[in-house]
Amino acid sequence: MANMAQAIRMALHYGEQNLGVTEIFGEDVGAPLGGVFTATQGLDKAWNAPLDERGIIGAALGLAWAGGRPVAEIQFVDYIFNAIDMLKLAANGHWASGGRYKTPLVVMTPTGSGIHGSMYHSHSFDSIASKLHGMKVVCPSTPLDAYGLMIAAIKSDDPVLFLKPKALLRSKGEELIPGEPADEKLLHGMIDAPLGDRTKWKAMWPKLTDYTVEIGKAKITHPGDDATVVTHGRMAPICLDVARRFAAEGKGSVEVLDLRSLIPYDWEAIKASVKKTGRVVFVNEETEITNFAEHLIRRLVDECFYELKVRPRLLAGKATPGIALSPNLEYFIQPQAKDVERVISESLADPA
Amino acid sequence: MPTAKAAKTPAKAAPAADAYKKLGAAKLLKIHELMVRARLLEERLIKMSKGGDGFFWIGGPGEEAFNVPLGLQVKKGSGVDCDFLHLHYRSAAIVLAMGAQPIDSLRQMRSVGTDPYSKGRNFVNHYAIPELNVVPVSPTIETQYATAIGTGIAQARAKTDAITVVNGGDAGTAEGDFHSCLVWANRPVLPLPILIIVVNNGWGISTAAATQHGEKNIADWAKVFPDMPGKTINGNDVAESWSALEEAFAYIRKNRKPYLLEVKASRLYGHSSSSGANRIPEADCIALLEESLVKRGLAKVSDFKAVWEREAAALDAAHKQVKSEPFPELETVWQDVFADGLPPSYPTKGGS
Ligand SMILES: Cc1ncc(C[n+]2csc(CCOP(=O)(O)OP(=O)(O)O)c2C)c(N)n1
């Protein structure tokens, strides 16, 4: 099985071969490194940009206006903050120009905690991203979704912020990517750059095919009747695991909804699940002041007040100025599996 | 063809008297007519702002002697084979010289639904004209220097002589985006064909350049890049502007490398309506041109009078027309948020 970094790489290769992607760039994105998480190794159109986040997004915007479909990378989402102005321009350009300029660009960036990244390699950006109105925001939790969402992002005529959960980039999925060889070692030999001298290395790509995960569509990763968990990114596999355990241990039937897209979010899917279960827990790793899920909770209160059996809950990161390095501190600040278990149990136990 | 080295010598004095004769009466009168059109437009916009027929005004009266020759020398059209323009809010004379219509600026000033640049969403002089490769003008100072990188890359890759033009003010050069543009345009792996213009009127809003900038000339930033000529010119002089632009365009078109042009110009109505928009006693480039033409026997005072009257009458008619046009319908705010339309469940109530 491909890991998520390989899946993104394969989607980008599919994009440069078939979807008109002519520029894939960012800090250390080109040879020899191919990205700090290897997501751009071996790509024909990948190149190294100056160490300049504003310039990178500005370049992507100009390329989009010139008719291209660029994919730009911000090396870590922790370093995207100085480019917010440029992201706003990408997001509002279509509206500001009265619909005359489309901005088909993708900005991808590793997000979130879970790799002992301390203060500047652990940030989440969800709620800020959700305020760049006009920008679509996606965040996969499996390699196959990463592949399908990247292809959808490239095809989109809107700017798409593609959040790559750092902690999941090396994780493998349960499904093959269309065209991926079943033998993991074979894939590794084909598309992973060798250690040492890479000057003569060229990737050997499997014959990949089109596979699109529609932007704005969530996925039920575990059906259930007693409570709904709405999550995405790094927390999605943790929630799935907890739901499976709850089912196996007879602790409750928990439905897990992996949002996959934050903007636009799949409101119909959230509503349908909550109407069915009457109990809902939102789980993400962004700090609780102020959290993207708070908007979803407000909307649920507005639109599904009488279907909610108990109060909606939020499990989020603690609102510290950063995420601390020491593991006991990081695990305290950021939600962990045991916290997910606790909050779901509490929601299930809330008297209706 | 000037070499990079020759072009690095700054202009010493205004061109010899025959520079006007060389341009010829026909071209000069065409330039004069466009300068008058731009000036009258800006003065009308100021009047509208003061008279409650619109709100904020910001524009470029005083920059016509440079901006009209610029607009006339642009390779007009859409796509990478034509020049791209990343402009700021003092560029009316540029777009008028390229064929934009004054009535459309009146529409944007009055923010009526027929405003073709932004559907009543943005300030006046904030264009978006895909047919002319004028990319969306943003109120954010200096971001245009970052987006210019992108169209510059597209044109550096294409087999074309088309280039990217970016303009802005002197105070904005303190922003990183200006330096992003210089660095990216001079990357050894891919130099960019960008005409980097800085119009130096000596002011930010109210802050004198001399109090904040130790650079002797802004064009001196070119000195650290061996392949980028830098030049400072008197932008109040039509002939000097024309020939400097000719030289810069020719250098960039042929060599596919950047050129930094600093243009000293007047700011005839101060910063904007927020500072009163009253006439300031600085050199007036239209009066200077008229003087030069009469002195050389290339035109008579009565010729000018006819132009001013004709242009004013045309503007009166356009203004009358715009006053009869409706303001935008409320539902139009949901147009153009996304290129593929608003998802049905997108929240549109503004709260509960
Ligand atoms: C990023 C940003 N900061 C501040 C402002 C507010 N502002 C508008 S114009 C201006 C002065 C710009 O001066 P300069 O760059 O010299 O251009 P000029 O207006 O003189 O042509 C300022 C500070 C802004 N629009 N954008």
Side-chain angles (χ1 to χ4, degrees), chain A residues 23 52 54 94-95 158, chain B residues 121 157 177 180 184 336 339:
Chain A
E23 314 287 340
D52 173 17
R54 292 178 70 91
H94 188 245
W95 195 81
D158 286 307
Chain B
R121 295 165 185 170
R157 302 259 198 236
D177 298 333
S180 292
W184 287 68
D336 318 315

Side-chain angles (χ1 to χ4, degrees), chain A residues 23 47-50 52 54-56 58-59 62-63 65 89 94-101 134 136 158 267 299 302, chain B residues 116-119 121 128 130-131 134-135 138 143 146-147 150-151 157 177 180 184 187 333 335-340 345 352:
Chain A
E23 314 287 340
W47 49 272
N48 293 322
D52 173 17
R54 292 178 70 91
I56 289 167
L63 281 159
W65 284 337
L89 286 187
H94 188 245
W95 195 81
S97 68
R100 299 183 105 200
Y101 272 97
K136 292 184 171 167
D158 286 307
W267 181 239
R299 227 181 142 182
D302 276 348
Chain B
Y117 304 136
S118 70
K119 293 190 181 167
R121 295 165 185 170
E131 315 84 74
V134 174
V135 304
S138 171
T143 50
T147 56
T151 53
R157 302 259 198 236
D177 298 333
S180 292
W184 287 68
R187 288 165 71 224
V333 296
Q335 293 172 1
D336 318 315
V337 176
F338 297 114
D340 57 1
S345 62
S352 300

Side-chain angles (χ1 to χ4, degrees), chain B residues 221-278:
Chain B
W221 285 108
K223 286 184 179 163
V224 297
F225 299 102
D227 286 337
M228 179 168 69
K231 193 169 186 172
T232 303
I233 64 160
N234 172 12
N236 280 326
D237 187 284
V238 167
E240 183 173 344
S241 296
W242 185 275
S243 65
L245 282 162
E246 245 180 5
E247 176 185 300
F249 271 111
Y251 174 85
I252 305 165
R253 289 201 199 289
K254 175 148 187 268
N255 298 293
R256 318 306 294 153
K257 286 180 178 164
Y259 192 116
L260 176 59
L261 189 59
E262 176 186 8
V263 182
K264 297 270 177 81
S266 298
R267 191 178 71 164
L268 284 182
Y269 284 85
H271 174 70
S272 67
S273 55
S274 63
S275 52
N278 294 316

Side-chain angles (χ1 to χ4, degrees), chain B residues 88-90 139-141 169-172 175 201 203-205 267 271:
Chain B
H88 77 149
Y89 45 66
R90 301 207 195 277
T140 47
I141 296 292
D170 51 283
E175 297 273 11
N201 58 27
W203 295 97
I205 291 179
R267 191 178 71 164
H271 174 70

Side-chain angles (χ1 to χ4, degrees), chain A residues 297-331:
Chain A
I297 290 173
R298 192 275 299 164
R299 227 181 142 182
L300 274 181
V301 170
D302 276 348
E303 296 181 32
C304 302
F305 189 72
Y306 296 102
E307 278 107 337
L308 283 166
K309 292 182 188 145
V310 301
R311 67 185 168 108
R313 288 171 181 261
L314 169 66
L315 174 62
K318 296 194 174 60
T320 51
I323 288 156
L325 178 60
S326 184
N328 61 333
L329 299 181
E330 174 174 340
Y331 301 156

Side-chain angles (χ1 to χ4, degrees), chain A residues 202-224:
Chain A
K202 260 185 87 67
M204 298 231 316
W205 298 99
K207 214 174 150 15
L208 299 161
T209 53
D210 199 338
Y211 173 77
T212 304
V213 170
E214 192 184 334
I215 295 176
K217 285 275 172 277
K219 181 170 73 176
I220 295 172
T221 59
H222 190 269

